[in-house]
Amino acid sequence: MELDFQLLDCDYINLGNKPVVRLFGKTKDGKSVCVFFRNYSPYFYVLPKNNFEKIEEMITKKFTGLVTKIENVQKFLPKGYQVQKQSILKITLNDPSRVPEVRDSLQSEKLVEGVYEADILFKYRFMADFNISGFNWIRATGIQTRTSTVKVDIVVEATELKEIDNFRNVDLKYMSFDIETISEEGAPDPRKDIIGMISISFSPHYNSQTSLVIVSKISPKLNKNIKVFQNEKEMLQEFLQILENYDPDVLVGYNINNFDLPYILSRLKENNLHQMLGRCKQKPMISRKIGVQYRNVAVGRIIVDAYELIKESIRKGNLRLKRLGLGDVSKELLNDTKMDISHSEIFGHWHGESEQVAKLIEYARKDSDLALRLVLEKGFLDKFFELGKVSGLVLQDCLDGGEAQRVENILLKEFDKNEYVLPCKPREEMLETEEMQELKGALVLEPKIGLHTDPIVYLDFKSMYPSIFIAYNICPTTLMTNENMNVESITTPYGTKFVSKSVKTGIMPTILKKLIDERDKVRAEEKKSTEKEVKRLLEAKQIALKIMTNAFYGYTGYLRARLYIPAIANTITGCGRFLINKTKHIIEEKTGYEVVYGDTDSIMVKIKTDAIETAFDIGKNLESLVNTELTGIIQMKIEKIFKSLLILSKKRYTGLAYEKSNGEWKEDLVMKGIETVRRDWCNAATKTLFEVLNILLREQNPKKAFIYIKDYVSKLERNEIPIDDLIITKSISKSLSAYKGMQPHVELVKKMKKRNGTAPGVGDRVGFVIVKGMQLLSQRSEDPEFVTANKIPLDSKYYLESQILPPLERVFEVIGISKSELMGIGRQTLLKELFGNNHRVNGTTNDVKESIDSFDGFVCSKCNKFYRRIPLIGKCLECQGEILFSSPQGKSRNLMAYTYGNNLKV
Amino acid sequence: MNKTEILNYFLRKGAQINKEALEELENNQYLQEVILKSTEMRLPPVITDDFLKQYKNTSSVKEKIPVKNLSQILDYRYNFIKNILINNPQLTNLISINRIGDKIKQFSVIGVVTEHNNKKLVIEDTTGESLFEISEELGKYIIEDEVIGLACERQQQTNNVTNIVYPDIPLKRDASKTKTPKSCIFISDMHMDSPAFNEKYYKNFISWLKEQKDLDVFIFGEVSTKIEQIERLRNDISQTSVTLEKLNVNDSVRVKTENIEIMLSRGWFLDQYMKLWKSAPDLTLVNLFRKRNLNPKLTPQYYNNTFFLDTIPDIISLSDIGQPAITNYKGTTILTNGSFLKEPIYWVINLQTRETFKIDFSIT
């Protein structure tokens, strides 16, 4: 029979002293599949020291029965250009798990000069040899069979496997779950604290239900879609049963990797229940702690932790979120949120009235529902599906692994095809001795800091680093390590030499060219496509191709990579620096336009015109000029036009960008390196920053921005800002006694506990405001409700200096407004200056006048802290700075005053 | 006015001015106000610095005051009161502000009030600042910038004030008296240049003076902006047997008659405290007396130690209040005077016996 399926997972088991590869997948009609493949054995390569017999002798002596074959094969070694292949030994075994044993023996007896590919995972060795990629469609030829080892709809014993083309993905079954543990205090302990309930959400539905909550105690007055049990054990048995009946492909949850899954496994163990959450009936689910993270593997299924997907998106700059709690994330992304029960209230609800239990159940249901919606509605998995196809890794490894693993899986196939061997990964002890070579980064041109109100053309090099790989034929296999070698070569601007393409095209440039061409093709198809679903898939595919294309440069400079070659990484950045510099010179010398900034692979050119269209046309001319000059190396492309651009420093700018899409201009506020969301900021900080940037960029009106912020500061001082905007939130992540030092949110919880008897507990988020006072900041945190009820004044100074001003300071500084002016200290003549000129000589605000005629208070000469009355110690209480008179006229050490009747006299 | 404007002014009035006087006037705004704005002042043919001198006793030139001078004012107050409070038995377990912490549950501090509102109090000493919580009742009379002692309890990381200790004046203090028969009267707020000035009251006053013996007359507060009216007053008093002790007090001066120390003061500052505490002038003054400072709040316009009571006067007489009142607080006679415009009520104090009696020039 022939069976087509989309690959989800791959592993192996040992049956009768031989490995059997198992491919788990899903057919077009939604059936779960497991394909068995026998007669495939693991192998690796060694470079002998002209002592083939000795190796054979040692293996026969030590590993008879394990090593099944030793062959002499011809292969190229991986690093440095080689004219000829070398004779090396291919050692085949019958147990993948014992490969390290044989390898270590050969190395310890110093019989080999080098070992290759001895640490390739067996499943990837198999997939490479059969040219199978994770999440691609496969046609298995063989016979249908039965087995008690897996829980799937169809089992096939295959004799032949091949990848087939099918662009579309199968509809997967998603099961999201969330557990509620019952602990009286502190973090739940899986050894004693039971799971009170598990909420489960399904897509598609299960027995006509989209969700179900299973509860480990009998409780009356409950709604539908709830199942109650006598105890936790019965509830967990039901959970295992649902898992088997529904047979999901994907297990979803929010922070399930680090909490729910390890906890469930512990409770299953405590209740003497099996832990087979995957599709294998023999292998229990594995939960391993790697560093501070848990990695969970359920054979045949994919575990998707929405929390980790969100974190990754934030890390990559695709999402801007201040807080990562499920409630906050859902509010931002789904416009829906968790139900209002804090973590510390769960215990009370569980032991409370039936209405409270019912509320807790619905709270739990909402959690699993939101996690599922995040994954499905936001399409977080699309990119990973395509990454599996491009890199060849199975989906779980794409989700859990890094870029190096993806690159190496591609290299494994391509090296093998080109008869090269791959080195083993450097082992820990080797890393310690390996001298870390300095990697020189990209070139960042000195920016012209300030607010630019003329249009700026943003040009960037198309796939700069991959293009450099291709243009200079850069690859470990083409690197000339011997100066005396008489072959045609290319000397890069960095000085390294690689053999010419006419001699040998490198493997990396070949892979990269293929990826770039494929991406161009996909993007062209995406443009043409009208079907929404196809567009979505093509978009995911082009993103995956882009990720893989850009991963190669970093890989060569990654210390733990099999092909860590710092000379290559440095060559790439060296060429990049050369190209950016060259481009700058071409533009400035041949056109006279000014380059205001450039970073890595992009350059910004100021065009003196009022019209975006004109700027775009000029940008197009610049694009062709540069492309003509750099023909055959790299292509430059106009990316966007900034109508206005505020450059704060290297790597930090914001601008109002215009991009042409389908003949129409699309406007976008671009921010690079400017923090707009931070978890420890209150909303007011983000709001004011955005508003100021909007005024500066859209209206190009520094005066208005200044007035806006002065107005905001006044409101803040008059307590007219809504308290909600001033709330800072932080989570209680451990018991209060475990906190070392004082933290505002922890101190508040202690205060609330003493005051009310109850307070937020571990896992809860605490919102607090800072009130006026002279104690340490951490002691001045207060409950917003308490503050409102008791009309306690907030510490406007704290909000101003620690929340509102820090993100704004640099912005205002570059347009010539100092912090002291924002705070209302110092010169008042600024607005006049703003009318005339955006820029003012720095430091004028700090001028100290000889004397003034009146004063309204005192100010520190260093930190500009304002005092109504001179401090008792005669110096600034904050920084010990000198105290000066402060007045609208400025600052001075002296006051000129009439001293009628002893007035102002000591 | 600059030099040219001043020269022109005097030329129009038919007078000349010498170089020294011209420079003095240019640099002294107060003198400009007194002399140049007085339309009816009789001017000598040549204005000299001798002429200016008679008006200069209450004024001075514009001068450069460094920040450190103001710092010294505060420093003096703080240290003076601290030295009084440090021995007060109500302030047990006295510590510096930087030592406040959860380990010490009951403590006392001495410091300057930096902020006071909504039952919150910020106190500063030379080691730092701290926030205190205080009941409305206890904190009722606290004024910013005064130096006080606080007895506190530390609870839940909050400093709760349980008692306030003011420097006050010693409980047992004998009233100073002169050895020989002597009396004094404090006349203020005559406003002779005002259209509402009552000539009858004035005449009653002068008639009454003529009958007195061994009387010192202290005249202060607003007398007149017109030089001829001041001269008239001088002349009228010179024809009696009383002694004119002081004229034209701007803010506050201390004078001594034998062993009696008298503080004459303009009372414009009192209004703010009367409004704050909703109290009568005499009671307001008593409260301020306990603080050893009649005007503790420092403002950019008023930054001095004029009203600071480092030594305790035997008599304090205040003008500009318009509400005549008298009280005695721990041996000090405190007076607020009436006015020659509406209510010419004043007190005569027998300095030998320290007896007082009221005199009303509207009916005398």
Side-chain angles (χ1 to χ4, degrees):
Chain A
M1 69 172 289
E2 274 185 353
L3 179 76
D4 292 352
F5 65 98
Q6 197 165 12
L7 183 63
L8 295 181
D9 196 11
C10 177
D11 78 340
Y12 77 93
I13 47 168
N14 269 330
L15 280 180
N17 266 343
K18 278 190 173 176
V20 178
V21 176
R22 302 188 300 186
L23 302 167
F24 291 89
K26 192 98 184 183
T27 61
K28 213 190 281 181
D29 53 0
K31 295 258 174 16
S32 57
V33 175
C34 182
V35 173
F36 285 25
F37 195 94
R38 296 170 199 267
N39 302 324
Y40 180 78
S41 301
Y43 59 87
F44 66 100
Y45 301 96
V46 291
L47 179 64
K49 293 179 172 173
N50 291 326
N51 51 354
F52 178 78
E53 296 76 17
K54 272 193 180 173
I55 291 172
E56 201 173 30
E57 190 184 312
M58 186 280 272
I59 285 176
T60 317
K61 195 172 149 195
K62 275 187 157 179
F63 301 111
T64 303
L66 176 63
V67 174
T68 54
K69 209 192 289 176
I70 305 173
E71 296 162 84
N72 205 334
V73 294
Q74 296 292 305
K75 292 272 184 185
F76 287 110
L77 294 183
K79 290 184 184 174
Y81 169 68
Q82 321 232 327
V83 184
Q84 288 179 334
K85 290 181 197 165
Q86 294 212 27
S87 280
I88 58 171
L89 298 179
K90 180 182 177 186
I91 298 171
T92 308
L93 303 81
N94 58 18
D95 185 353
S97 65
R98 294 183 65 190
V99 170
E101 209 180 305
V102 181
R103 175 196 66 195
D104 292 348
S105 266
L106 288 165
Q107 279 180 323
S108 63
E109 294 193 19
K110 297 186 174 145
L111 296 172
V112 292
E113 265 181 26
V115 179
Y116 302 92
E117 301 182 15
D119 54 356
I120 305 283
L121 286 179
F122 183 56
K123 63 181 174 190
Y124 289 123
R125 159 72 66 214
F126 173 83
M127 287 165 70
D129 285 351
F130 281 81
N131 200 21
I132 292 171
S133 293
F135 215 61
N136 256 349
W137 285 88
I138 293 163
R139 178 162 297 158
T141 310
I143 50 163
Q144 192 165 355
T145 179
R146 283 180 157 197
T147 176
S148 57
T149 57
V150 290
K151 298 176 277 187
V152 289
D153 299 328
I154 305 166
V155 180
V156 171
E157 188 87 51
T159 49
E160 207 180 304
L161 292 167
K162 69 167 183 182
E163 228 172 54
I164 52 170
D165 278 340
N166 190 345
F167 170 67
R168 301 214 181 232
N169 293 332
V170 73
D171 289 331
L172 298 176
K173 274 174 139 181
Y174 295 84
M175 180 173 134
S176 166
F177 63 94
D178 181 67
I179 64 168
E180 299 306 336
T181 57
I182 309 301
S183 62
E184 192 167 2
E185 216 177 18
D189 180 355
R191 286 166 301 183
K192 61 179 179 65
D193 296 327
I194 63 155
I195 299 173
M197 57 185 74
I198 306 176
S199 66
I200 310 165
S201 296
F202 308 95
S203 173
H205 55 72
Y206 167 59
N207 292 343
S208 315
Q209 297 171 112
T210 52
S211 71
L212 174 67
V213 184
I214 50 176
V215 186
S216 67
K217 77 168 185 181
I218 304 295
S219 186
K221 294 186 195 170
L222 294 176
N223 298 329
K224 56 180 184 172
N225 297 344
I226 296 165
K227 275 187 175 180
V228 293
F229 298 89
Q230 290 287 352
N231 51 42
E232 186 196 33
K233 187 171 184 171
E234 283 184 14
M235 179 193 71
L236 288 170
Q237 279 170 332
E238 175 68 9
F239 179 71
L240 293 171
Q241 196 56 54
I242 292 169
L243 205 57
E244 191 166 337
N245 294 350
Y246 184 66
D247 189 24
D249 303 303
V250 186
L251 291 173
V252 181
Y254 204 81
N255 199 23
I256 48 170
N257 272 341
N258 282 321
F259 181 69
D260 300 64
L261 279 171
Y263 206 98
I264 287 178
L265 289 184
S266 297
R267 293 311 300 167
L268 286 169
K269 207 172 165 189
E270 287 290 326
N271 284 289
N272 295 320
L273 294 169
H274 75 78
Q275 293 136 55
M276 259 73 81
L277 303 191
R279 279 174 165 146
C280 177
K281 285 186 179 173
Q282 292 172 330
K283 288 185 184 174
M285 196 180 120
I286 302 164
S287 185
R288 279 178 301 165
K289 197 169 185 184
I290 302 166
V292 290
Q293 298 276 339
Y294 279 94
R295 284 282 161 246
N296 303 291
V297 179
V299 176
R301 302 194 210 280
I302 301 145
I303 295 165
V304 174
D305 190 333
Y307 173 66
E308 285 175 11
L309 294 178
I310 300 279
K311 273 205 298 189
E312 199 239 15
S313 286
I314 290 170
R315 215 170 34 240
K316 295 266 156 81
N318 300 328
L319 269 182
R320 274 186 196 149
L321 291 174
K322 197 149 94 177
R323 296 179 191 102
L324 296 184
L326 177 60
D328 300 304
V329 170
S330 305
K331 202 170 179 183
E332 283 288 326
L333 301 182
L334 303 173
N335 201 20
D336 196 353
T337 192
K338 276 167 78 91
M339 282 178 62
D340 186 23
I341 296 181
S342 72
H343 191 267
S344 55
E345 288 171 339
I346 290 175
F347 186 82
H349 274 70
W350 175 253
H351 292 288
E353 299 295 319
S354 56
E355 287 78 11
Q356 283 178 296
V357 178
K359 190 178 173 191
L360 187 61
I361 289 170
E362 294 316 308
Y363 162 85
R365 191 195 304 278
K366 189 82 185 172
D367 280 9
S368 61
D369 179 52
L370 289 174
L372 185 62
R373 284 182 58 203
L374 278 174
V375 170
L376 295 181
E377 290 178 25
K378 293 292 139 190
F380 278 119
L381 286 181
D382 292 351
K383 178 181 88 181
F384 292 98
F385 291 154
E386 297 307 317
L387 273 172
K389 292 174 189 172
V390 178
S391 70
L393 294 184
V394 293
L395 209 45
Q396 193 68 65
D397 290 339
C398 273
L399 286 159
D400 298 344
E403 283 185 345
Q405 197 185 355
R406 294 174 199 157
V407 171
E408 281 178 351
N409 205 45
I410 296 179
L411 288 174
L412 176 67
K413 282 185 190 172
E414 294 302 318
F415 267 55
D416 192 41
K417 270 186 210 163
N418 289 279
E419 298 183 273
Y420 276 82
V421 284
L422 260 187
C424 293
K425 279 185 197 167
R427 289 156 83 176
E428 285 303 319
E429 58 268 25
M430 287 159 73
L431 289 176
E432 281 165 21
T433 54
E434 180 98 32
E435 207 170 305
M436 186 75 180
Q437 289 192 37
E438 193 200 357
L439 292 179
K440 232 177 149 190
L443 178 71
V444 184
L445 297 177
E446 204 51 53
K448 302 272 185 297
I449 289 168
L451 178 64
H452 300 272
T453 50
D454 286 323
I456 307 273
V457 173
Y458 183 100
L459 296 146
D460 74 348
F461 287 114
K462 195 182 147 201
S463 308
M464 186 194 221
Y465 287 171
S467 299
I468 292 171
F469 268 104
I470 297 164
Y472 297 102
N473 199 28
I474 297 170
C475 182
T477 61
T478 53
L479 178 67
M480 287 182 64
T481 48
N482 184 352
E483 280 290 317
N484 302 322
M485 210 176 257
N486 189 20
V487 282
E488 194 187 320
S489 65
I490 304 168
T491 306
T492 65
Y494 183 70
T496 40
K497 281 184 176 178
F498 296 87
V499 294
S500 297
K501 288 175 202 169
S502 55
V503 180
K504 178 178 238 173
T505 308
I507 294 175
M508 282 189 184
T510 310
I511 296 170
L512 288 167
K513 178 134 190 3
K514 219 166 99 185
L515 291 172
I516 291 172
D517 291 348
E518 175 77 2
R519 184 165 175 240
D520 287 345
K521 211 173 100 190
V522 171
R523 288 179 85 179
E525 275 178 48
E526 192 188 348
K527 266 190 181 169
K528 274 191 267 166
S529 169
T530 49
E531 200 187 326
K532 206 176 160 190
E533 175 65 11
V534 173
K535 250 186 165 8
R536 193 171 68 95
L537 288 174
L538 289 169
E539 174 63 17
K541 187 159 191 136
Q542 76 89 7
I543 289 172
L545 286 162
K546 186 182 175 185
I547 291 171
M548 287 316 305
T549 311
N550 290 332
F552 276 78
Y553 150 70
Y555 174 79
T556 58
Y558 176 51
L559 196 62
R560 291 170 192 275
R562 291 171 198 273
L563 292 170
Y564 166 64
I565 304 170
I568 289 188
N570 275 329
T571 301
I572 301 293
T573 49
C575 294
R577 290 193 296 273
F578 164 79
L579 288 169
I580 280 285
N581 255 330
K582 191 165 169 105
T583 308
K584 183 177 186 283
H585 285 130
I586 294 169
I587 291 172
E588 289 188 334
E589 280 166 22
K590 298 206 169 179
T591 68
Y593 288 116
E594 184 191 11
V595 173
V596 293
Y597 184 51
D599 183 0
T600 314
D601 61 350
S602 62
I603 213 152
M604 296 186 195
V605 188
K606 194 172 193 164
I607 310 290
K608 287 213 179 288
T609 173
D610 291 335
I612 297 284
E613 280 292 349
T614 318
F616 186 77
D617 292 341
I618 295 169
K620 275 275 170 207
N621 289 338
L622 294 176
E623 179 189 294
S624 8
L625 173 74
V626 174
N627 286 342
T628 315
E629 295 275 335
L630 300 176
T631 305
I633 304 176
I634 200 160
Q635 288 276 299
M636 177 154 258
K637 201 169 168 268
I638 182 166
E639 181 85 15
K640 54 193 147 219
I641 310 279
F642 284 109
K643 190 180 167 194
S644 51
L645 180 71
L646 179 69
I647 306 181
L648 303 183
S649 65
K650 281 184 178 180
K651 307 242 176 225
R652 292 175 70 209
Y653 62 85
T654 174
L656 194 62
Y658 282 76
E659 271 182 81
K660 221 171 196 178
S661 169
N662 299 328
E664 280 184 25
W665 288 108
K666 270 171 70 182
E667 188 191 90
D668 187 23
L669 188 69
V670 172
M671 289 206 203
K672 280 272 151 56
I674 298 176
E675 271 184 311
T676 51
V677 270
R678 260 178 57 168
R679 264 181 276 181
D680 55 351
W681 280 359
C682 62
N683 283 344
T686 312
K687 273 187 188 174
T688 47
L689 177 62
F690 266 110
E691 188 56 32
V692 163
L693 293 179
N694 256 316
I695 296 171
L696 287 177
L697 297 170
R698 285 182 203 280
E699 300 177 42
Q700 304 179 355
N701 190 344
K703 183 191 130 202
K704 190 175 172 188
F706 178 69
I707 291 171
Y708 163 79
I709 212 72
K710 290 282 286 180
D711 189 41
Y712 198 90
V713 167
S714 308
K715 279 185 184 164
L716 184 68
E717 279 165 354
R718 293 197 304 266
N719 278 333
E720 287 174 11
I721 302 296
I723 197 165
D724 284 353
D725 281 352
L726 301 173
I727 296 172
I728 305 154
T729 50
K730 252 186 144 181
S731 289
I732 299 287
S733 56
K734 49 191 172 185
S735 67
L736 298 187
S737 56
Y739 279 95
K740 284 176 189 163
M742 287 163 97
Q743 291 189 32
H745 66 307
V746 178
E747 294 306 304
L748 174 60
V749 172
K750 286 181 190 167
K751 226 186 279 182
M752 288 166 85
K753 235 177 200 170
K754 278 183 189 164
R755 197 155 58 204
N756 316 326
T758 59
V762 176
D764 288 348
R765 270 182 38 229
V766 185
F768 61 91
V769 288
I770 301 293
V771 298
K772 256 192 186 158
M774 288 305 143
Q775 293 153 302
L776 292 171
L777 176 78
S778 51
Q779 292 173 309
R780 288 190 282 120
S781 55
E782 203 29 283
D783 175 16
E785 281 179 22
F786 185 78
V787 165
T788 312
N790 293 282
K791 293 183 181 157
I792 302 171
L794 296 180
D795 186 354
S796 58
K797 186 173 149 269
Y798 163 79
Y799 281 101
L800 187 61
E801 292 182 0
S802 305
Q803 293 273 334
I804 312 283
L805 289 188
L808 289 171
E809 260 174 60
R810 184 74 184 128
V811 173
F812 277 102
E813 199 184 313
V814 301
I815 56 168
I817 299 170
S818 73
K819 181 183 172 185
S820 59
E821 280 163 327
L822 287 171
M823 291 176 73
I825 305 163
R827 305 183 341 154
Q828 302 292 308
T829 50
L830 173 98
L831 297 185
K832 273 186 251 165
E833 289 173 22
L834 283 172
F835 282 116
N837 188 354
N838 291 338
H839 299 275
R840 199 176 63 209
V841 180
N842 281 339
T844 50
T845 53
N846 288 323
D847 284 350
V848 178
K849 292 181 182 305
E850 163 57 26
S851 55
I852 51 172
D853 290 331
S854 64
F855 71 104
D856 49 22
F858 302 88
V859 63
C860 171
S861 62
K862 267 169 85 190
C863 70
N864 281 329
K865 182 179 163 77
F866 182 82
Y867 293 93
R868 179 186 59 79
R869 162 176 61 66
I870 200 162
L872 202 49
I873 54 167
K875 292 178 194 163
C876 175
L877 295 174
E878 303 277 322
C879 70
Q880 306 288 299
E882 185 192 5
I883 295 292
L884 305 174
F885 287 112
S886 168
S887 83
Q889 303 161 307
K891 300 187 250 182
S892 176
R893 289 186 178 84
N894 299 303
L895 175 77
M896 287 302 289
Y898 291 103
T899 55
Y900 322 95
N902 300 331
N903 208 0
L904 282 166
K905 259 194 173 166
V906 182
Chain B
M1 281 187 184
N2 59 29
K3 279 179 185 164
T4 318
E5 286 166 336
I6 296 167
L7 265 174
N8 287 338
Y9 171 84
F10 285 118
L11 285 172
R12 278 200 304 274
K13 297 260 176 187
Q16 290 184 329
I17 182 165
N18 75 12
K19 194 181 164 193
E20 288 75 26
L22 183 62
E23 279 180 2
E24 176 85 54
L25 258 182
E26 192 194 22
N27 290 322
N28 191 327
Q29 205 179 10
Y30 177 76
L31 278 180
Q32 283 188 23
E33 280 170 20
V34 171
I35 298 169
L36 306 181
K37 290 179 184 169
S38 172
T39 50
E40 293 175 35
M41 185 184 282
R42 270 189 215 149
L43 297 173
V46 180
I47 311 289
T48 61
D49 28 348
D50 277 347
F51 172 80
L52 297 182
K53 254 182 205 165
Q54 58 184 313
Y55 302 100
K56 260 171 70 177
N57 60 341
T58 57
S59 64
S60 61
V61 293
K62 195 174 186 181
E63 61 179 299
K64 200 186 271 183
I65 300 151
V67 171
K68 76 169 187 335
N69 281 18
L70 307 198
S71 187
Q72 284 166 2
I73 288 169
L74 192 65
D75 193 47
Y76 175 76
R77 283 187 191 190
Y78 173 71
N79 284 311
F80 185 88
I81 290 181
K82 187 180 149 191
N83 288 335
I84 296 173
L85 292 175
I86 214 159
N87 298 315
N88 193 308
Q90 293 179 83
L91 296 175
T92 53
N93 203 9
L94 203 56
I95 60 169
S96 301
I97 280 173
N98 67 348
R99 289 195 53 229
I100 297 173
D102 288 338
K103 285 182 188 162
I104 307 173
K105 296 290 174 203
Q106 289 192 327
F107 62 93
S108 302
V109 290
I110 297 170
V112 187
V113 179
T114 298
E115 276 178 54
H116 174 227
N117 54 38
N118 282 332
K119 301 182 194 172
K120 305 271 173 190
L121 191 60
V122 179
I123 298 289
E124 178 191 352
D125 72 6
T126 49
T127 66
E129 292 180 308
S130 191
L131 177 75
F132 296 80
E133 291 196 357
I134 190 165
S135 69
E136 208 168 322
E137 188 54 35
L138 206 53
K140 192 177 167 189
Y141 292 108
I142 288 177
I143 300 292
E144 283 180 354
D145 305 327
E146 70 169 318
V147 183
I148 52 172
L150 301 177
C152 310
E153 270 179 16
R154 179 111 174 133
Q155 285 174 339
Q156 298 168 17
Q157 295 173 337
T158 304
N159 307 316
N160 295 312
V161 179
T162 54
N163 191 19
I164 299 177
V165 182
Y166 293 103
D168 213 333
I169 55 176
L171 193 62
K172 281 192 177 176
R173 193 167 154 270
D174 293 329
S176 304
K177 294 170 185 172
T178 55
K179 286 177 185 163
T180 53
K182 195 164 200 173
S183 297
C184 67
I185 188 166
F186 304 94
I187 304 292
S188 66
D189 311 298
M190 293 182 76
H191 300 287
M192 292 172 77
D193 52 353
S194 165
F197 175 69
N198 192 319
E199 190 66 28
K200 186 189 151 201
Y201 299 167
Y202 178 75
K203 282 182 178 160
N204 285 346
F205 165 57
I206 298 295
S207 305
W208 178 80
L209 280 183
K210 285 177 180 167
E211 293 165 11
Q212 305 306 312
K213 275 183 189 172
D214 304 320
L215 179 75
D216 286 349
V217 181
F218 294 87
I219 297 182
F220 67 110
E222 295 293 331
V223 178
S224 175
T225 53
K226 293 174 183 172
I227 194 81
E228 60 273 17
Q229 286 174 339
I230 293 170
E231 290 304 317
R232 179 190 171 196
L233 180 63
R234 277 181 198 278
N235 284 336
D236 287 344
I237 292 175
S238 67
Q239 287 166 28
T240 68
S241 58
V242 302
T243 312
L244 179 65
E245 278 293 342
K246 195 75 189 173
L247 272 173
N248 282 352
V249 174
N250 239 330
D251 287 310
S252 165
V253 288
R254 300 273 185 122
V255 290
K256 235 176 172 180
T257 296
E258 291 188 20
N259 58 333
I260 309 285
E261 189 170 326
I262 300 165
M263 182 178 179
L264 302 176
S265 179
R266 301 287 294 266
W268 50 264
F269 60 85
L270 199 66
D271 194 46
Q272 55 179 317
Y273 303 112
M274 284 163 61
K275 279 182 184 158
L276 182 70
W277 298 330
K278 297 182 181 72
S279 59
D282 50 344
L283 289 177
T284 307
L285 274 167
V286 167
N287 268 323
L288 291 168
F289 221 81
R290 292 170 66 209
K291 299 174 187 298
R292 300 286 289 255
N293 196 337
L294 297 187
N295 185 17
K297 191 161 170 71
L298 294 168
T299 62
Q301 292 72 38
Y302 213 85
Y303 225 103
N304 64 27
N305 276 337
T306 313
F307 298 109
F308 189 61
L309 303 176
D310 40 6
T311 54
I312 311 297
D314 297 295
I315 300 165
I316 293 181
S317 178
L318 264 77
S319 65
D320 299 79
I321 308 294
Q323 293 180 46
I326 187 162
T327 190
N328 189 296
Y329 184 68
K330 293 183 181 175
T332 296
T333 308
I334 301 170
L335 311 165
T336 59
N337 300 315
S339 145
F340 259 64
L341 300 184
K342 284 192 296 190
E343 210 178 2
I345 294 173
Y346 299 91
W347 275 271
V348 177
I349 304 171
N350 184 332
L351 297 176
Q352 194 178 26
T353 61
R354 296 292 295 272
E355 287 172 320
T356 57
F357 61 93
K358 190 164 80 174
I359 185 154
D360 186 345
F361 293 116
S362 65
I363 53 170
T364 304

